[in-house]
Amino acid sequence: MKIGIIGGGFAGLTAAHELLKAGQQVTVFEAASQVGGLASGFKAEGWDWSLERFYHHIFTTDKAIIGLAGEIGARDLIFFNKQTTAFFCPEHGSHAVNVLGMLRYPHLPFIDRIRFGVSGLELKLRNDWQRLERETAEHHLQRWAGRRAYAQLWQPLFDGKFGPYAREVNAAWIWARAKTRSFKLGYFRGGFQAFADALAAHVSHRGATVLTNTPVQRIAATDGQWQISTADATHTFDRVIVAAAPGLLVKLVPALPPGYVADIRKLKSIGAVVMVAALDRQLLTRGEYWLNIAKGTLPFLALVEHTNMIDARHYNGDRLIYCGDYLPADHRYFSLPPDQVIDEWLTALPAANPAFDRAWVRRTWLFREAYAQPIVPVHHSRHVPALRTPLDGLYWASMSHVYPWDRGTNFAVELGRRVARELLADLNRRDARITDRVTHKTTHGVSR
């Protein structure tokens, strides 16, 4: 079978890997100049390693991506480091998100600090996410952590992450976050781009065709086969996987049934805006890797000093920071010129370090993505789309499919495996039906 895959992110490349193992022919179409999707990176002059456009790391619990790295001979790219994550607001400063940091947190009564810790432990220990999705995260966490701890510690995270949808998010989402966290964070030597490139090289070596700089314009079924049209050619396939955002699926496949399209359009999501700045010195001098920032106190949700976890020597001595926020796609930060957004965000950095001066900044970049975080309301499992679309031979795999888990490279790998196996199972069932029909006809002919 000839299989076409739209999207050269981790889901699409993993699906290609699985299909090749089963003996299928695979072509991957990627619109960008490189593979990797939202985990793709860039490299400034003088850097040895690439840096992700949107901050990424893995956890020790991320068995899917660690296992895939082993399968393709790239396990040696992965390493783990300890790091410090902290809550931050200009009024109270930063407080580490660990047992000792929370016990010392001076802005809540001691009993509320204990209840906050218990609320996290309770999520870590339980496995019944189906029950948790029946209530909102706000309701569940207020019950376990108490209203004061929720208001000071949990609510700012939800407001920052989901904005106007914060009160809708179900408790299974925060369960999945707690369940997969680890104290050590993992990274790839050379950045996530190095691993994406290694995966693309592996599937290419196994016989796949990986086409970058090749945006797909249309996907249509003709005489039992699928036509994928690009600017230069039309390619014919037996099956197609679209490993991309909902909006792109709808745009590329106009033959999708109206009811199916209406259901897809009901899926809510939020976008991301991220500034990367290369500084000539350390910004977070206490060594924090990640600051979770109370919504509304600064113009961004997270401040990440990448080089407080990864040695700056890989980036020619640049101290690299991310400022990022999750925002609705109609937020002004999506339409403002990049320089204006960068100016606003750099202006806020003295809140994290009063000594900060614009003269520290060597270079900046701004990245924006309208589809970055699905919204998962109560009973969301009832609305997760099937991997198999209503059109025979067309499959769809996106961040909207990884529920109850949160989006991320590990679950993109898991999703790629899942969609490939579903496609292969359908092929096996089809082959079994053909064999049964041939056997029936042969037997029937002999008996006559």
Side-chain angles (χ1 to χ4, degrees), residues 75-149:
R75 179 62 181 83
D76 61 326
L77 293 181
I78 299 175
F79 64 97
F80 289 89
N81 280 340
K82 292 183 178 180
Q83 48 72 45
T84 300
T85 298
F87 290 112
F88 176 83
C89 70
E91 181 182 359
H92 295 153
S94 63
H95 297 274
V97 184
N98 54 37
V99 174
L100 189 59
M102 287 298 97
L103 287 176
R104 291 175 174 174
Y105 185 70
H107 311 292
L108 277 174
F110 182 75
I111 186 61
D112 290 315
R113 288 176 253 163
I114 296 296
R115 290 188 67 181
F116 173 77
V118 169
S119 69
L121 180 62
E122 178 263 343
L123 291 168
K124 190 83 172 175
L125 293 178
R126 65 190 298 171
N127 293 305
D128 56 338
W129 68 265
Q130 294 89 344
R131 290 184 61 187
L132 287 170
E133 76 158 0
R134 300 173 192 171
E135 63 177 334
T136 65
E138 178 181 55
H139 182 264
H140 182 84
L141 291 171
Q142 282 184 346
R143 188 168 72 248
W144 279 87
R147 291 185 178 275
R148 285 177 299 207

Side-chain angles (χ1 to χ4, degrees), residues 29 40 52 67 130 148 159 235 243 261 357 416 422 432 447:
F29 297 84
S40 64
E52 295 68 50
Q130 294 89 344
R148 285 177 299 207
D159 287 346
H235 309 258
V261 171
D357 189 283
E422 184 152 331
S447 65

Side-chain angles (χ1 to χ4, degrees), residues 353-367:
N353 182 345
F356 171 76
D357 189 283
R358 291 285 185 105
W360 297 8
V361 181
R362 291 176 174 171
R363 191 172 175 186
T364 57
W365 300 262
L366 190 75
F367 302 104

